[in-house]
Amino acid sequence: MGKILVTGGTGFIGSHTCVALINAGYQVVVMDNLCNSKVEAIARIEMITGRHIRFYRTDMRDKHGVCQIFEDNKIDAVIHFAGWKAVGESVEKPLDYYENNLGGTLTLLEVMRQFQCPILIFSSSATVYGSHNPVPYQEDMPTSATNPYGYTKVMIEQILRDLCVAQHRFSAVALRYFNPIGAHESGLLGENPNGIPNNLVPYVAQVATGKLDCLRVFGNDYDTPDGTGVRDYIHVMDLAVGHVAALAYAVNHTGFEAINLGTGKGSSVLDVVRAYERASGRKIPIKVVERRAGDIATSYADPTKAKDLLGWETTYDLDKMCADSWKFTLQNPRGL
């Protein structure tokens, strides 16, 4: 196995997965349009790994640009992270989300077919379990969504299923992430959103540094141990290693597989706040506000399939996730 194309490779999960791939002996080519990330991530990956990375500033909807990458490099497999991911924005701009996430993926798949590249690892999401399945979530449960972003994941999984039926040599693994947090232990890479964060831990980090006054907690009256929403938080480096394991699996298996990547344990918003207070030594003020529309009380994975098929398990706990996030925050006060 030679070169792996990583779309969205300068983003949070993509950049950490590049590190894990290089550590496992793969050559990495990165494609990103930098709409929600910074090219500095490439330099940081190179600092951590000591390896040069070929980077293309290309939008996945640009078929000519994507073809150029395949012409320049013998791409053996693609790990596909590129896509927009803000739930609220997807409700406001559904056509933009479908055009970007679905249109871009279709363009990528067309180019892969043209260049006879038969392996795709897809960045899916626990959002495909919708709001009606009981926890823990298992891969054979019916899929649905509560917003256009989630439906782009549901639809792309279906496209990949259909493609695997039509092209018998094609292998696609959809990795259903739960809630990635943390950072590389060097402090050189971490979650680096543009503007005010959508996700819990970068928001908590900005409260800890004083950039934001307090953490808004959306509801404290859920049917959970402390009333706040429970989620399955996973260290981003555990997640990254899961992609390497999925790639090794896909090399030897054709067809479609959906696989959860989570710890199998739920932590509440207040659990995360307390862990971050321990990591930072700082008090995190909170303000309880109304629930968000579409939020569910509890979400966590059954990770059995990942262990059985990929030989993969998580290794880091919530305290380590928060400690690594805080280290990145301290070392990068202005982000990357």
Side-chain angles (χ1 to χ4, degrees):
M1 174 75 54
K3 290 183 180 175
I4 312 301
L5 174 62
V6 181
T7 74
T10 60
F12 176 44
I13 305 168
S15 60
H16 288 79
T17 299
C18 287
V19 171
L21 286 165
I22 293 167
N23 288 344
Y26 293 100
Q27 288 182 277
V28 170
V29 178
V30 172
M31 177 182 94
D32 204 304
N33 68 1
L34 303 178
C35 76
N36 194 33
S37 58
K38 295 184 174 65
V39 72
E40 173 65 19
I42 297 294
R44 299 295 182 91
I45 297 165
E46 291 176 341
M47 287 170 66
I48 291 167
T49 63
R51 298 281 293 279
H52 172 71
I53 291 177
R54 184 174 279 193
F55 171 68
Y56 292 82
R57 184 171 185 175
T58 304
D59 191 295
M60 62 177 171
R61 295 167 292 180
D62 173 9
K63 188 171 183 180
H64 175 77
V66 179
C67 282
Q68 189 63 55
I69 296 170
F70 278 78
E71 286 171 4
D72 292 350
N73 305 274
K74 173 67 176 78
I75 302 295
D76 293 300
V78 177
I79 301 185
H80 180 32
F81 296 102
W84 294 345
K85 64 180 183 65
V87 168
E89 185 181 60
S90 79
V91 174
E92 295 166 10
K93 302 177 179 178
L95 289 182
D96 293 355
Y97 265 69
Y98 289 123
E99 193 270 334
N100 185 76
N101 292 6
L102 293 178
T105 299
L106 288 169
T107 298
L108 175 67
L109 290 169
E110 287 170 9
V111 174
M112 289 177 68
R113 180 174 60 181
Q114 183 178 330
F115 285 86
Q116 298 183 334
C117 177
I119 297 171
L120 181 80
I121 311 300
F122 173 57
S123 166
S124 192
S125 167
T127 58
V128 303
Y129 290 110
S131 56
H132 301 298
N133 286 310
V135 291
Y137 295 145
Q138 297 171 320
E139 290 86 350
D140 58 358
M141 289 176 170
T143 58
S144 64
T146 57
N147 55 73
Y149 159 72
Y151 271 114
T152 67
K153 298 296 188 183
V154 171
M155 291 175 185
I156 291 169
E157 284 197 9
Q158 187 60 50
I159 290 166
L160 295 176
R161 279 191 186 87
D162 295 341
L163 186 59
C164 288
V165 170
Q167 298 182 26
H168 297 307
R169 291 179 58 243
F170 199 82
S171 178
V173 179
L175 297 176
R176 295 174 177 171
Y177 313 159
F178 281 71
N179 292 67
I181 62 173
H184 190 267
E185 63 183 4
S186 65
L188 290 169
L189 278 179
E191 194 163 5
N192 186 49
N194 295 339
I196 293 177
N198 280 309
N199 294 341
L200 174 62
V201 169
Y203 202 104
V204 171
Q206 291 197 14
V207 175
T209 59
K211 278 187 184 176
L212 297 171
D213 291 337
C214 68
L215 171 70
R216 289 184 304 157
V217 175
F218 296 101
N220 65 351
D221 57 351
Y222 286 105
D223 183 17
T224 62
D226 62 25
T228 64
V230 168
R231 298 292 182 268
D232 189 337
Y233 295 95
I234 176 175
H235 196 294
V236 66
M237 284 310 299
D238 275 338
L239 192 66
V241 170
H243 289 75
V244 178
L247 182 59
Y249 174 85
V251 168
N252 296 308
H253 299 83
T254 56
F256 175 85
E257 288 288 353
I259 302 175
N260 289 336
L261 292 186
T263 65
K265 296 188 284 289
S267 300
S268 73
V269 173
L270 295 185
D271 288 334
V272 175
V273 168
R274 286 190 286 267
Y276 216 93
E277 288 178 338
R278 289 193 294 272
S280 65
R282 301 185 184 186
K283 183 71 178 167
I284 309 292
I286 67 169
K287 179 184 179 184
V288 177
V289 297
E290 286 185 6
R291 295 182 182 189
R292 284 184 300 200
D295 270 359
I296 56 176
T298 303
S299 167
Y300 58 92
D302 179 342
T304 305
K305 188 174 180 181
K307 184 178 181 181
D308 291 346
L309 290 191
L310 309 182
W312 174 90
E313 291 182 280
T314 58
T315 57
Y316 299 118
D317 63 13
L318 188 61
D319 281 318
K320 173 66 170 168
M321 298 177 210
C322 291
D324 285 344
S325 167
W326 181 238
K327 183 176 182 180
F328 172 76
T329 301
L330 286 180
Q331 288 186 205
N332 302 272
R334 295 183 184 86
L336 291 186

